[in-house]
Amino acid sequence: MADTKREIERKFEFTKPKAERRGVPDLTGTAGIAAVVDQGVADLDAVYYDTPDQRLAADGLTLRRRTGGHDAGWHLKLPVAPGVRDEVTAALGDTVPGPLAALVRSRVRYAALEPRVRLLSSRRTSHLLDADGALLAELTTDAVTARHQDTTATWTEVEVELADGTDPGLLDAVEKAFEQAGLKVSDAPSKLARALAETGNEPPARPGTDPADDGTAGAYVLAYLREQVTALITYDPAVRRDQPDSVHQMRVASRRLRSAFKTYRKVLDRRVTDPIGEELRRLGTELGVDRDREVLHEHFRTALDDLPRPLLAGPVRKRLRTWNTTRRSASRRRALTALDSPRHLALLDTLEALLADPPLLPGAAKPAGKALPKAVLRDYARLASRVDHALSLDPGQEADHALHQARKAAKRARYAAEAAEAALGKPARKFAEAMKGVQNLLGEHQDSVVARTALRDLAHQAHGAGEPSFTWGLLHGREEARAERTERDLPATWAEAAAPGLRAALK
């Protein structure tokens, strides 16, 4: 079983030997620190694991097996933001625990995890307490020895890690106090990163170039694809940990990749990208089951909260929980099965191979300022045709389908502009915002279509259990009204998004 803790910390190093001899200054009186209580010294022995080509280190992850101290065991640290990491722990054992191995699978895939570096630390720990004796932060001073093969490096590192609920401003105050005593914020983001650097074992740099260097359409498209592939890999462990919005973000990355393959078909050979796009579509479908359930549940829960109590007929909240729990168990299992499948790991390998050796067409060598706007405007024309068709239909199932197809076209036009923004700047950003407005409105309509289907299901379940179905019928009526409102608003929203000036600015 793995446990997770959010770490908010700052690492420091001494700037001069003289400062190191003086040691860490007394922080009593700094930003509400009323006492510094020594907790003694512990000897730690940590072995860091990675693939032979150091995929984890290249992405800022650390996986270690550590003995000594109060938290001996396996530790996986996942970067969240500068100075913020999630530490996932598991019990001590001889092999990498299954839950931790799963969290690095999108990066490791079939490569072996091997011991890479050993760090021996003599750690002195102190607790920083407030006036009531509550823990504000933990202060540690580590005398570190790093060993990689026949190379050894030593240094002293000071770290301040906040306790849960402590104002992060405490770290700024500590940093100022440390500056006066000859300590600075460490240049290395982690002990492992410093150990690898000082033993001559740094991971190879990630491939990538600045697209502005050559200004071609191919360079900008590949840079955008690289961002989305990175997101796909990065959100994998977040989905496994059931982090908020992670399924949505991973699904968006897969959609953006598929969209870019279609939009920029004069840059990349579709004989190569079409099969990859189909695999991405499949992944999005598997993830979508859980995401759609999540969105619907939150929407219905909010809708029930907004109803006056007299309109809540029967055990509607219990019915909604039962409906959600049943669906959630199946949808989450389906998403995790997809991520663990050889097919998914093969997809990630294929995407990285495409970036390493892209199937570029002659159009890739054209200037981005000329080639990208043409691609964006092709997607706009496709959207305009679908919107015009949808507006020509009377309300009903056929119109619902047409509006859904227009929504997908709006999303593709938006993604096309977002992919071109690095090259085209503000005109592409404004165009993307306009397309997003159309997409959101049409999304509201499609959400109402999906919601009505689910509400009919809930009403049938309630009726079958002998419960009143009045409330579900009431919500169904409100969803019909929501759809009608979006249909009324569409002409004006579309007219604004279709303003000729937005397209002219792209050229």
Side-chain angles (χ1 to χ4, degrees):
M1 186 69 179
D3 296 315
T4 301
K5 178 186 177 185
R6 175 64 53 89
E7 291 183 340
I8 303 176
E9 61 190 18
R10 200 164 297 177
K11 298 179 183 297
F12 302 88
E13 59 187 72
F14 292 98
T15 56
K16 296 179 180 180
K18 183 178 180 180
E20 185 171 348
R21 288 194 296 271
R22 287 197 303 264
V24 178
D26 184 4
L27 292 173
T28 303
T30 301
I33 298 172
V36 180
V37 181
D38 184 23
Q39 300 295 308
V41 178
D43 292 325
L44 310 177
D45 186 346
V47 177
Y48 287 77
Y49 283 67
D50 207 336
T51 60
D53 56 356
Q54 301 187 83
R55 300 178 192 178
L56 300 185
D59 284 351
L61 282 72
T62 63
L63 174 64
R64 72 187 179 206
R65 180 187 186 275
R66 190 168 78 184
T67 57
H70 68 279
D71 61 346
W74 285 88
H75 305 155
L76 172 64
K77 297 197 177 188
L78 302 161
V80 176
V84 182
R85 295 187 295 179
D86 279 349
E87 182 181 64
V88 187
T89 61
L92 196 62
D94 293 333
T95 59
V96 179
L100 301 194
L103 294 179
V104 298
R105 188 163 293 138
S106 64
R107 292 172 168 90
V108 172
R109 288 160 228 168
Y110 296 109
L113 286 167
E114 305 171 346
R116 301 295 301 175
V117 180
R118 184 180 183 187
L119 268 63
L120 303 172
S121 303
S122 177
R123 168 170 292 182
R124 177 170 292 279
T125 301
S126 297
H127 285 175
L128 308 182
L129 309 179
D130 66 12
D132 296 325
L135 181 65
L136 293 172
E138 187 173 82
L139 167 67
T140 57
T141 304
D142 289 342
V144 183
T145 299
R147 295 176 180 170
H148 172 65
Q149 297 178 350
D150 296 330
T151 306
T152 299
T154 61
W155 69 90
T156 299
E157 178 178 288
V158 179
E159 178 182 296
V160 178
E161 180 181 337
L162 299 182
D164 292 343
T166 300
D167 184 349
L170 176 68
L171 293 176
D172 295 330
V174 168
E175 182 178 337
K176 290 181 180 179
F178 277 0
E179 284 177 357
Q180 297 175 0
L183 290 99
K184 68 169 187 175
V185 175
S186 177
D187 294 329
S190 67
K191 283 187 180 68
L192 176 62
R194 182 164 182 174
L196 295 175
E198 298 207 7
T199 60
N201 190 36
E202 288 184 286
R206 284 294 194 192
T209 58
D210 183 353
D213 288 346
D214 66 14
T216 63
Y220 279 99
V221 170
L222 288 175
Y224 179 77
L225 294 179
R226 191 170 289 111
E227 289 178 7
Q228 305 316 316
V229 172
T230 298
L232 204 63
I233 293 170
T234 300
Y235 279 108
D236 180 291
V239 171
R240 294 174 187 275
R241 295 169 57 213
D242 204 16
Q243 295 292 291
D245 205 39
S246 58
V247 171
H248 173 62
Q249 292 301 331
M250 192 174 185
R251 195 180 180 194
V252 166
S254 69
R255 284 173 171 168
R256 283 177 168 152
L257 284 166
R258 287 178 57 215
S259 182
F261 289 156
K262 294 176 181 177
T263 296
Y264 297 106
R265 59 186 181 272
K266 294 185 180 297
V267 172
L268 294 169
D269 189 342
R270 287 193 64 176
R271 290 175 297 179
V272 176
T273 61
D274 277 356
I276 302 174
E278 182 58 27
E279 286 299 296
L280 288 165
R281 184 200 63 77
R282 178 198 59 81
L283 173 63
T285 298
E286 298 301 303
L287 294 173
V289 175
D290 197 40
R291 170 62 181 172
D292 293 344
R293 174 212 53 79
E294 180 183 43
V295 170
L296 270 179
H297 174 252
E298 180 60 24
H299 178 66
F300 291 158
R301 191 185 64 79
T302 301
L304 291 177
D305 288 344
D306 291 342
L307 285 179
R309 185 175 295 275
L311 298 182
L312 299 176
V316 289
R317 297 187 193 279
K318 182 180 178 181
R319 170 61 51 194
L320 180 61
R321 284 195 299 270
T322 301
W323 175 86
N324 182 61
T325 300
T326 302
R327 288 165 55 94
R328 173 166 174 69
S329 176
S331 63
R332 177 150 177 79
R333 184 167 56 250
R334 182 172 172 178
L336 294 179
T337 298
L339 296 185
D340 283 333
S341 69
R343 194 170 179 177
H344 177 61
L345 300 182
L347 170 62
L348 298 181
D349 282 342
T350 301
L351 287 168
E352 290 193 338
L354 179 141
L355 294 174
D357 186 19
L360 297 176
L361 297 174
K366 293 183 178 180
K370 292 184 177 180
L372 301 188
K374 290 181 180 179
V376 174
L377 292 176
R378 279 197 302 269
D379 280 351
Y380 168 81
R382 177 172 172 270
L383 167 63
S385 175
R386 292 192 179 187
V387 171
D388 289 345
H389 173 61
L391 290 174
S392 71
L393 300 173
D394 292 329
Q397 287 187 352
E398 185 180 358
D400 289 346
H401 176 73
L403 289 168
H404 182 44
Q405 294 304 307
R407 177 200 179 204
K408 291 192 287 187
K411 188 179 299 181
R412 179 164 151 183
R414 170 195 169 187
Y415 290 163
E418 289 177 347
E421 186 177 332
L424 306 181
K426 186 177 180 180
R429 182 170 65 254
K430 291 184 68 175
F431 183 86
E433 290 171 352
M435 297 303 102
K436 183 179 179 180
V438 176
Q439 174 196 330
N440 287 345
L441 183 67
L442 293 172
E444 278 277 305
H445 186 277
Q446 178 61 18
D447 288 348
S448 76
V449 173
V450 174
R452 277 176 276 163
T453 300
L455 286 166
R456 288 193 291 272
D457 182 39
L458 280 161
H460 289 318
Q461 290 181 17
H463 179 75
E467 301 165 5
S469 57
F470 167 80
T471 301
W472 307 118
L474 177 62
L475 294 183
H476 189 280
R478 292 192 173 191
E479 291 299 332
E480 289 180 326
R482 177 161 69 133
E484 292 170 359
R485 184 181 68 252
T486 60
E487 290 167 8
R488 288 195 305 270
D489 292 346
L490 178 58
T493 299
W494 173 241
E496 184 177 348
L502 285 172
R503 303 193 299 283
L506 293 172
K507 300 177 182 178

